[in-house]
Amino acid sequence: MKKYFALLLTLLFLGCSSGSDKPGPEPADEGKDRSVMLKALAENIIVPSYDQFKTKFDLMAEKSKAFTAKPDAQALGEFRNAWAEAYIAWERVELFDFGPAEKQTIRNFFNIYPASEAGIAANITDPTSSLEVPASYPTQGFPALDYLINGLGANDTAILAQYSTDKDAAKKLAYITRVIARMESLLGKVMSEWKGEYLNTFVSKTGLDIGSSTSLMVNGLVLHYERYIRSGKFGIPSGAMANGIPAPEKVEALYIKNMSQILAQAAHSAYVDFFNGRHAVTGEAGPGIKSYLNALGAKDSGTGKPLTESINAQFQVAAAKLGVLKPNLYEEVKTNNQAMKDTYTEMQKAVRMLKVDMTSAMSITITYTDNDGD
């Protein structure tokens, strides 16, 4: 009997000591913690991506000042190169159109294309015209700069003449300065919010209701892939959508002619990186949408495979179609349009996975509307 009580006491002691330290969460449970996901996405991807863009933007602003001070061939070339690098960097932050970016409607002021040549001309004539109303969207940002430094003449000599001997040369130079200043102001507002109280707000709103960070983010991301990558860069120019009539003049970076595909690749790869939680600086995968979906056990309803595996596989197919296109998508629409349509088709398959399967697995309600039949 004494041996029995001794054994019982030993077991009780072991039970108490093993329970004194609460076990850590299982990996799957930890992966479901939305605050961890949101914090990692904000600190590892969103904020450093904006920092990287700001560096490129600042260089563009610097080169624009040199050009407006002395509009010669060298200054034009350096300004053009800095603009191109900043535009590519922009594609890696444009997808963050939720929170501060949505509040400032920065995408609409930075990258609505094609640019309005008539609107730009009117603004040049009237320096008091508003750049803050919706009608002004296609008169500013990267597309407007594309027109101003690449499209005002048939060659560099003709373009430089617009800024030196033309009767409105001074006004045109002033408009470049005005466009850059407007972009700088909006970018500053967005970045200051992300580096201020909004980051804490973003991480703390961990629910799944319409106003939660996860809902706002997922809605913004799905909308971006559907409307601004799939449709804007491929569906509309190729005529794969709506009326079926090709519109090569609606490609991104219309005037420079050799980087619309590069911009599309940058946008698509940035999207894939964000989905997979890849750190903007190191490239290492961390907590993000992929890890969250995996923790939820989300499956592809058709194959039974992990949903993230199916989504990434479709991303790869779309990227492969995009990768074989030539740099000038304007010419691709005119001479190789089926390849443009094929890219759109593969991206459309990804849209369905993101908009239906992913949001369903995450219990997210799509709150935006799109009238193209998805």
Side-chain angles (χ1 to χ4, degrees), residues 55-68:
T55 298
K56 298 294 185 181
F57 180 88
D58 287 347
L59 179 61
M60 179 182 74
E62 177 187 325
K63 296 301 181 181
S64 75
K65 289 178 182 178
F67 175 72
T68 54

Side-chain angles (χ1 to χ4, degrees), residues 78-97:
E78 291 180 358
F79 181 18
R80 186 179 284 154
N81 289 339
W83 165 85
E85 290 187 11
Y87 205 166
I88 292 169
W90 161 254
E91 299 286 351
R92 300 196 67 84
V93 299
E94 187 175 349
L95 69 158
F96 309 140
D97 198 49

